[in-house]
């Protein structure tokens, strides 16, 4: 989802970029981790630091918040203003205010749906004002994007840990399936946000691009695991992309049924069993001998 040109900050001399780099260096984290903290697409951060994209005002505000520097200094003030000596610094939630806003947005969307959540509700959950929420995330689409990005980033971290520990590609695929089965409260929340993203993507071109970006990443991950499995001999010689299309569609449909509120809706155990049956019947290679 791209930002409106009018919200971007002019940086012809590269001073803003240099100061952002200084903030990242002082925090001692990678660019990817810094992007996660400010709830920003890593590719957008990379392009902004490389000079092919300009930061938006909201991004500068979030960078200042996480880096504990003054926004004015980031935008070109000659020196960092000192904090007043007679005031204690305001308490900042763990992870910074932007991450707190995003986490509460995820929780509220999961409970009430995106269109049932007001900025005032998010502000009240964070113990701050609606103006402070708009300060970090000017629009509702940006809040939905940030919520979806946080869910996907959390999911990506869990995927990476499990994939590294799996003995083979079949183990990797079973790990991905377990992550996508909504058993825990966090998994259910992430699925509910994803379902809201689907609904918005059907009506909004901008949100549709965000949905397509994440879905392409997810399906590519599954296809790559299947491709490795074919190479290892644990999966039969199938088309990885088509197998990934079928499996992800099955996951989506079953998860939607699990999340239904009807007492007789499909449960997580049934969903998981159906997915394992698909892997065994459609992918797993017959034992030799």
């Amino acid at each position: 989802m791209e930002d409106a040109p009018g919200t971007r900050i002019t940086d012809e001399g590269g001073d803003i970029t240099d100061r952002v780099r200084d903030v990242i260096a002082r925090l001692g984290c990678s660019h990817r981790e810094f992007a996660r903290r400010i709830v920003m697409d890593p590719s957008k951060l990379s392009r902004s630091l490389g000079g092919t994209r300009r930061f938006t005002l909201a991004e500068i505000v979030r960078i200042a918040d996480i880096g504990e520097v003054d926004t004015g200094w980031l935008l070109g003030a000659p020196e960092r203003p000192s904090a007043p000596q007679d005031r204690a610094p305001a308490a900042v939630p763990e992870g910074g205010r932007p991450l707190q806003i995003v986490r509460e947005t995820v929780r509220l969307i999961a409970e009430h749906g995106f269109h049932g959540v007001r900025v005032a509700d998010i502000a009240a959950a964070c113990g701050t004002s609606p103006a402070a929420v708009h300060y970090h995330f000017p629009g509702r689409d940006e809040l939905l994007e940030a919520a979806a990005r946080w869910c996907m980033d959390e999911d990506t971290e869990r995927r990476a840990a499990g994939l590294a520990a799996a003995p083979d590609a079949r183990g990797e695929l079973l790990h991905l399936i377990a992550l996508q089965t909504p058993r825990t409260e966090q998994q259910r929340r992430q699925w509910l946000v994803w379902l809201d993203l689907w609904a918005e993507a059907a009506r909004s071109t901008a949100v549709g691009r965000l949905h397509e970006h994440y879905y392409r990443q997810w399906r590519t991950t599954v296809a790559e695991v299947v491709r490795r499995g074919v190479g290892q001999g644990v999966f039969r010689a199938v088309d990885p992309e088509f197998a990934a299309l079928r499996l992800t569609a099955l996951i989506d449909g079953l998860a939607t049924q699990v999340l239904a509120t009807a007492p007789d809706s499909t449960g997580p155990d049934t969903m998981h069993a159906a997915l394992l049956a698909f892997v065994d019947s459609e992918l797993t290679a017959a034992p030799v001998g």
Side-chain angles (χ1 to χ4, degrees), residues 108-262:
L108 290 168
I109 288 176
E111 291 176 1
H112 306 290
F114 180 64
H115 288 289
V117 178
R118 303 170 303 163
V119 172
D121 299 325
I122 299 169
C126 295
T128 188
S129 66
V133 175
H134 285 304
Y135 189 58
H136 292 289
F137 302 98
R140 288 176 61 84
D141 277 357
E142 190 171 5
L143 274 170
L144 179 59
E145 176 183 5
R149 186 176 307 288
W150 183 80
C151 289
M152 296 305 103
D153 285 348
E154 291 287 300
D155 193 41
T156 298
E157 287 187 8
R158 289 196 300 274
R159 283 184 206 166
L163 293 181
D168 56 25
R170 187 177 188 279
E172 293 178 17
L173 192 60
L174 296 186
H175 169 69
L176 294 179
I177 286 172
L179 286 180
Q180 295 304 309
T181 304
R183 296 184 186 277
T184 68
E185 187 64 29
Q186 183 178 17
Q187 286 172 321
R188 291 181 65 86
R189 283 180 180 177
Q190 290 183 347
W191 264 109
L192 289 166
V193 171
W194 185 247
L195 292 180
D196 258 29
L197 188 68
W198 274 347
E200 287 302 299
R203 304 180 181 92
S204 165
T205 300
V207 177
R209 285 197 295 267
L210 175 67
H211 170 272
E212 193 275 335
H213 169 72
Y214 279 120
Y215 211 86
R216 184 174 64 249
Q217 283 187 337
W218 163 233
R219 193 177 291 164
T220 297
T221 296
V222 175
E224 288 174 349
V225 170
V226 173
R227 185 175 291 107
R228 282 197 294 276
V230 173
Q232 293 169 358
V234 297
F235 294 149
R236 64 187 66 174
V238 298
D239 179 340
E241 281 74 22
F242 187 57
L245 171 66
R246 295 174 65 201
L247 180 55
T248 54
L250 184 58
I251 289 172
D252 294 342
L254 287 169
T256 302
Q257 293 180 40
V258 171
L259 293 167
T261 57

Side-chain angles (χ1 to χ4, degrees), residues 78-112:
E79 60 183 20
R80 309 182 198 201
S82 300
Q85 297 301 311
D86 57 346
R87 284 179 52 193
V92 178
E94 183 180 357
R97 181 70 74 187
L99 276 181
Q100 182 198 30
I101 291 171
V102 170
R103 290 190 186 107
E104 290 302 321
T105 299
V106 168
R107 180 181 66 81
L108 290 168
I109 288 176
E111 291 176 1
H112 306 290

Side-chain angles (χ1 to χ4, degrees), residues 7-8 19 23 29 45 52 76 98 125 130 132 204 222 225 247 249 255 264:
T7 67
R8 297 178 190 168
R19 295 186 182 199
V23 169
C29 61
L45 176 63
T52 59
S204 165
V222 175
V225 170
L247 180 55
D264 58 348

